[in-house]
Amino acid sequence: MFYRAGLQVAAALASLSVLTGCGLLSDSSSEVDQKISVGTTSSPSTLDPAAAWDGSWELMRNVFQTLVSFPTGSTSPDPDAAEECRFTDATSMAYRCTLRSGLTFSNGEKVDAEAVKYSIDRISKIKVKGGPAGLLGSLDRVETKGDDTVIFHLSKADATFPFILATPAMSLVAPGDYPADRVRDDGKVTGSGPYVLDSYEPGKQAQLTRNPGYKGFAKRKNDAVTIHYFDDSARMVDALKKKEIDATYRGLTAEEVIGLEDNKKDNNGLQVVESTGADIRFLVFNPKDPAAGKPAVRQAIAQLVDRDALVAKVYRGTAEPLYSMVPKGIAGHATSFFDTYGDPDVGKARAILSDAGITAPVKMTLWYTTDRYGSSTAPEFAELKRQLEASGLFRITLKSAPWKSFQEGFTKGQYPVFGRGWFPDFPDPDNFVAPFVGQESVTGMPYLNREITDELLPSSREESDRGAVSQQFKRAQEILVKDVRLLPLWQGKLYVASGEDIGGGERALDPQTVMQMWELYRKTSW
């Protein structure tokens, strides 16, 4: 009933190897102060799951529950707030969940079937642009039976639906504290997850403590976690070296990773844990822009971008070139852009523009965000500018903005070309195609292609054996290459850096590459 082809990538994402530093010599102990501090350059854009389809999931996974979830090492969703979930029919159109008994939210409200229905229904009702409502395209209605049973009736077959329910966007919220028709914006959280959010300062820190009423799969190995949000990775690494924080996640530059790995003696024994990543970076083109809206301009850029140079100069082995929106390790991966464009070639790019009647250098503005994907983003876009201008075919202006205003800008269609990153909702090719097409594309740019949305995706979702859908996604990628509305750049790796007294880093990332804070602990001996 669940994905089998996702087995390899999920296992890879869950199997982390310590590159430097000490191994785990002992488990956590009540004799040691189990309060952990973690640094990241990815701060939440919202605290309300109904509005979150971005790095806000990091915090949400730790303070909310979903019906099903991805424990470390799992290859398909396991019950969390639910006792059991399963499809009740052979057509994958009715999904039934029975809740655990005795669940409560942190405000004392019951986590019952009506609360589940309320939580899911408000996502579709609020329908935040660029938000997670797009994940629920196959949901027709939510039915409750008694206090403990919820049935999701789908409008079409969708074997991916259990995986969608496992995303933090589908977190269960207390109806009494969350308006049905608007996003909660008081800076507070009411969930039933492993931790309670005690305090929150936007852009600065979040204080989490153990939720005494939690019932779920998480085996918490610490008592409290403080998440520090940094706007610069150098400051974050400095804080790690000074032992002001215990661990880091998201935002390390390639130089910082290499420096931590290679200079063990100078880094007070800091350790680095590497995760096989399925996160990708890509450019998004605005079809309404005078320049980016021309297919020949997009195709010329696709012909010029040198991914090998980009990865070598900026990421130094911590990423690899990507020629498909579906990354390596995911069923359906291909090298479609390389197959079409081959190596970078100025002559071919000039011919593409000339055939379209474009002879003067094309003036374009490329936008990127300053505080979402790490400090390497600015050098990355500087290198893209260098490559495009070196051809003599483009004149590039670079502009940037913090994530919140950046997100507002691209959802309003204000940017001609902009950079986006994508961390998987779940390890399946569907999740690297479906979010970017259709009227409600997560890029904020409607991308209407009937063959993908009306034929290829529905056909693939009827198949529970995900290894049998490669042909649909091969065809989808051929269409993406032809349109060049999206241009994949690179696929990354993820790193957790920590002090040598911190254990659990090798288990802290789930198959969605979201940090499970409860896995971290301070070792009794090392």
Side-chain angles (χ1 to χ4, degrees), residues 17-21 257 261 272-274 495:
S17 59
V18 177
L19 299 182
T20 63
V257 170
E261 291 176 353
V272 180
V273 175
E274 177 186 312
Y495 297 89

Side-chain angles (χ1 to χ4, degrees), residues 31-53:
E31 298 176 358
V32 177
D33 180 15
Q34 292 298 341
K35 295 180 180 178
I36 306 295
S37 59
V38 178
T40 178
T41 61
S42 179
S43 61
S45 63
T46 177
L47 297 184
D48 190 331
W53 203 355

Side-chain angles (χ1 to χ4, degrees), residues 187-461:
K188 297 181 180 179
V189 161
T190 312
S192 59
Y195 298 96
V196 174
L197 181 64
D198 279 349
S199 66
Y200 177 70
E201 297 178 74
K204 294 183 179 180
Q205 68 177 27
Q207 295 274 2
L208 312 182
T209 56
R210 251 184 208 244
N211 179 0
Y214 172 69
K215 295 181 180 180
F217 74 88
K219 307 299 182 185
R220 294 165 294 185
K221 297 179 181 178
N222 58 62
D223 299 318
V225 177
T226 301
I227 306 173
H228 296 271
Y229 300 112
F230 293 85
D231 56 11
D232 180 80
S233 63
R235 290 182 57 240
M236 180 172 69
V237 172
D238 186 57
L240 179 66
K241 291 179 178 179
K242 292 179 179 177
K243 300 188 182 300
E244 295 171 354
I245 58 175
D246 298 310
T248 70
Y249 176 54
R250 290 215 195 279
L252 294 175
T253 66
E255 290 76 12
E256 288 161 349
V257 170
I258 293 169
L260 289 170
E261 291 176 353
D262 292 347
N263 302 311
K264 216 163 91 174
K265 290 183 179 179
D266 298 331
N267 292 327
N268 297 320
L270 294 177
Q271 57 185 344
V272 180
V273 175
E274 177 186 312
S275 165
T276 301
D279 61 308
I280 64 173
R281 298 293 186 276
F282 55 96
L283 295 178
V284 181
F285 295 92
N286 186 342
K288 295 184 179 180
D289 180 75
K294 297 177 180 178
V297 170
R298 303 195 298 267
Q299 292 164 4
I301 292 175
Q303 185 64 70
L304 289 172
V305 169
D306 188 338
R307 294 169 178 82
D308 287 325
L310 180 68
V311 167
K313 291 182 179 181
V314 180
Y315 291 100
R316 299 178 59 190
T318 61
E320 56 185 317
L322 182 64
Y323 297 94
S324 161
M325 288 300 290
V326 180
K328 289 182 179 179
I330 302 291
H333 168 71
T335 55
S336 309
F337 275 88
F338 184 83
D339 296 343
T340 299
Y341 294 99
D343 292 322
D345 191 309
V346 175
K348 290 181 179 179
R350 182 180 291 109
I352 291 172
L353 293 174
S354 179
D355 289 346
I358 303 171
T359 55
V362 179
K363 296 180 179 179
M364 299 190 72
T365 300
L366 272 59
W367 282 81
Y368 63 91
T369 181
T370 57
D371 59 353
R372 176 60 48 175
Y373 307 124
S375 301
S376 295
T377 306
E380 173 184 344
F381 274 76
E383 171 62 15
L384 288 172
K385 171 182 167 71
R386 186 199 67 77
Q387 291 182 11
L388 294 176
E389 290 190 336
S391 70
L393 303 175
F394 288 89
R395 295 289 180 266
I396 303 297
T397 299
L398 297 181
K399 291 188 178 181
S400 61
W403 174 255
K404 193 159 189 176
S405 57
F406 179 77
Q407 188 177 37
E408 291 173 357
F410 73 67
T411 55
K412 291 178 181 178
Q414 296 175 347
Y415 303 154
V417 186
F418 58 95
R420 280 297 308 269
W422 184 250
F423 297 91
D425 302 324
F426 48 85
D428 186 88
D430 187 284
N431 195 232
F432 292 91
V433 175
F436 309 117
V437 297
Q439 185 64 40
E440 303 298 329
S441 166
V442 71
T443 66
M445 302 280 140
Y447 181 6
L448 305 179
N449 184 285
R450 297 301 181 189
E451 184 177 356
I452 294 178
T453 58
D454 297 353
E455 299 176 28
L456 299 174
L457 290 175
S459 171
S460 72
R461 289 170 178 172

